[in-house]
Amino acid sequence: MSSPTELSDQSIPLQPLTEFPPHRSHNPINNLKRSDPFKFGSRYLEPTDDIFEFNAWDHVVPDSAYYIYCESQYTSQRASPVSEFDKARFNNNPEKWWNRFYSNNTSNFFKDRKWLHQEFPILSKVTAKDAGPSTILEVGAGAGNTAFPILKANENERLMIHACDFSKKAVELIRANEAYDADHMQASIWDISSEDLPPGVRECSMDVVLLVFIFSALSPKQWDAAVKNIWRVLKPGGEVCFRDYGKGDLTQVRFKKGRLLEDNFYIRGDGTRVYFFEEDELKRIWGGTGTANPEVGANGEDRETTSGPARDEEPRNADEVFTTGEAITDKEPGVLQPGYATSPFPENAFEIVSLGVDRRMLVNRQKQLKMYRCWMQGQFMKPHGSAIK
């Protein structure tokens, strides 16, 4: 008598693996999950595809109707901005609102960012077993959803992660986590736009600085000071790994009246601030001299869902997912040697190794709706020649 496995193999015709469309996670003949690894971010929309077959498609440029809708939303938002009183209330004490946020939302709010090593290969280098002394500074560490996955994957006994946030409550959450390891991690309160460096961090001492959904929380008036501080802490040849919101993202378009602080800068319902960037804007902010790549996107994170709405509605699904590392140039960043002297902050300090737009179209199959997410992702390098000899 045949076993259930044998019967299954005989009754279901299997399509040769080479005939699978690369963007499909399941066999289109029998709807069984494919046995070979399926890479998230590779579901490209072809002219013959049914848009509503899947919940999400990668790298889809919005149609003209969406851009028209965006402009109408921006016009409505500008007509009813935040009052001057509320603008001062939210801008003068932003840490108050982040402390309140982390008091109400603990480590379960965001999903762990398991896609970081794929998106930013330098993280694999500094966490490798034979990497030697290596240092990572994460700014806006929150409850540790970036730092702890890096620490868990780390094989380098000489790695140190400095996890900083200007919310006292966020730092308390990190230190209280059972995975907190004082030998390889230091959690500290730090404002990236302040005049001081993080506790325990010297100038020109960091191999990598992580800025993942943190720069958007700053006022545009704070950008210059923040970039100067990142310049100060990085070794020559050190890299910034950047990911944040892009203009036209679903989250931005959904904002209603009374949320706009200034163009592309908003107050969420919880009192925290968020900015939506454009590619050329980021080139100016970081002063890069490289050529930006037009698109990035696709991560291999194993997650419960492949899409989701804006953070305010379903926070654990959509804000920080879906990326690729394909925009990396042929530069080969590695672990850097210490001992560089302090450098002044020059104009056009950072070289843009990569910078691009990561897009994803979400689909509500029941209501036949299309929604668009947009993120910016880049890597910025402090030039090797910036050290004082």
Side-chain angles (χ1 to χ4, degrees):
M1 182 175 179
S2 300
S3 67
T5 301
E6 291 172 340
L7 287 173
S8 176
D9 290 341
Q10 293 171 4
S11 60
I12 300 176
L14 295 179
Q15 184 183 17
L17 184 63
T18 55
E19 296 182 20
F20 275 123
H23 63 280
R24 294 183 181 273
S25 57
H26 288 66
N27 186 330
I29 292 180
N30 53 41
N31 203 34
L32 292 180
K33 188 173 183 179
R34 61 194 300 169
S35 58
D36 62 315
F38 170 71
K39 184 178 180 181
F40 284 103
S42 60
R43 182 174 288 152
Y44 299 98
L45 182 63
E46 302 293 342
T48 57
D49 286 324
D50 176 8
I51 291 178
F52 299 103
E53 181 179 3
F54 297 106
N55 290 328
W57 298 88
D58 299 295
H59 314 298
V60 178
V61 177
D63 54 29
S64 58
Y66 182 74
Y67 285 117
I68 293 172
Y69 173 68
C70 288
E71 290 303 322
S72 68
Q73 288 293 97
Y74 301 152
T75 300
S76 177
Q77 292 166 358
R78 293 188 192 104
S80 301
V82 173
S83 68
E84 290 300 318
F85 173 80
D86 281 339
K87 185 180 293 188
R89 186 163 66 100
F90 292 119
N91 281 333
N92 291 343
N93 191 17
E95 61 270 25
K96 167 188 173 181
W97 303 101
W98 282 109
N99 280 328
R100 182 175 295 180
F101 173 84
Y102 284 110
S103 295
N104 297 329
N105 305 284
T106 60
S107 57
N108 293 326
F109 190 82
F110 292 120
K111 297 184 69 175
D112 283 348
R113 294 160 178 160
K114 301 175 183 178
W115 43 266
L116 290 165
H117 286 73
Q118 178 181 323
E119 299 310 313
F120 303 116
I122 193 173
L123 293 177
S124 296
K125 295 180 179 293
V126 298
T127 57
K129 187 175 182 179
D130 58 351
S134 306
T135 50
I136 298 174
L137 171 64
E138 185 196 1
V139 185
N145 298 99
T146 292
F148 287 124
I150 293 175
L151 191 62
K152 183 177 181 180
N154 177 52
E155 297 180 352
N156 181 6
E157 295 182 356
R158 304 181 72 182
L159 174 73
M160 176 56 70
I161 301 173
H162 293 267
C164 299
D165 201 289
F166 78 162
S167 166
K168 178 182 177 181
K169 184 61 180 177
V171 173
E172 290 175 352
L173 289 173
I174 293 178
R175 292 175 178 172
N177 193 303
E178 61 181 10
Y180 185 73
D181 178 2
D183 291 334
H184 297 285
M185 182 185 295
Q186 177 179 335
S188 306
I189 300 171
W190 184 55
D191 180 354
I192 189 176
S193 65
S194 68
E195 296 182 358
D196 299 321
L197 296 183
V201 174
R202 296 176 291 104
E203 295 201 7
C204 299
S205 65
M206 295 291 112
D207 294 298
V208 181
V209 174
L210 291 171
L211 297 176
V212 181
F213 295 97
I214 161 62
F215 219 73
S216 56
L218 301 177
S219 163
K221 295 179 181 178
Q222 297 175 296
W223 292 345
D224 185 59
V227 172
K228 288 180 179 178
N229 278 333
I230 299 307
W231 167 271
R232 289 172 64 193
V233 301
L234 270 178
K235 300 174 184 177
E239 286 198 22
V240 177
C241 300
F242 180 96
R243 184 167 174 82
D244 224 312
Y245 298 101
K247 183 175 180 179
D249 181 64
L250 175 67
T251 313
Q252 178 183 18
V253 179
R254 280 181 168 177
F255 276 111
K256 304 300 182 184
K257 297 178 179 180
R259 295 293 179 187
L260 183 69
L261 288 165
E262 52 187 277
D263 279 354
N264 300 323
F265 194 37
Y266 300 81
I267 287 293
R268 295 189 181 98
D270 57 17
T272 60
R273 306 177 301 183
V274 60
Y275 191 93
F276 297 84
F277 294 96
E278 297 182 78
E279 185 174 342
D280 287 343
E281 189 172 43
L282 289 174
K283 291 179 186 178
R284 293 194 299 270
I285 292 171
W286 291 95
T289 58
T291 301
N293 294 282
E295 296 283 337
V296 297
N299 81 56
E301 179 181 359
D302 183 13
R303 54 191 181 275
E304 298 169 5
T305 61
T306 59
S307 63
R311 196 201 81 170
D312 291 309
E313 283 129 21
E314 287 215 14
R316 281 172 56 84
N317 284 344
D319 268 1
E320 312 118 313
V321 291
F322 328 120
T323 61
T324 82
E326 296 179 352
I328 309 303
T329 68
D330 58 359
K331 289 179 170 50
E332 191 68 26
V335 179
L336 307 166
Q337 299 301 317
Y340 292 94
T342 303
S343 297
F345 178 76
E347 187 177 0
N348 297 329
F350 289 90
E351 177 184 352
I352 295 181
V353 178
S354 67
L355 176 61
V357 183
D358 178 6
R359 300 185 187 276
R360 172 159 289 216
M361 183 177 73
L362 310 182
V363 173
N364 185 321
R365 290 187 281 181
Q366 182 178 1
K367 296 181 178 180
Q368 299 283 287
L369 296 176
K370 296 182 292 184
M371 300 164 285
Y372 297 92
R373 298 305 309 264
C374 178
W375 301 274
M376 303 301 303
Q377 182 168 306
Q379 291 173 268
F380 314 127
M381 178 184 289
K382 181 176 178 178
H384 286 278
S386 57
I388 293 178
K389 299 181 179 179

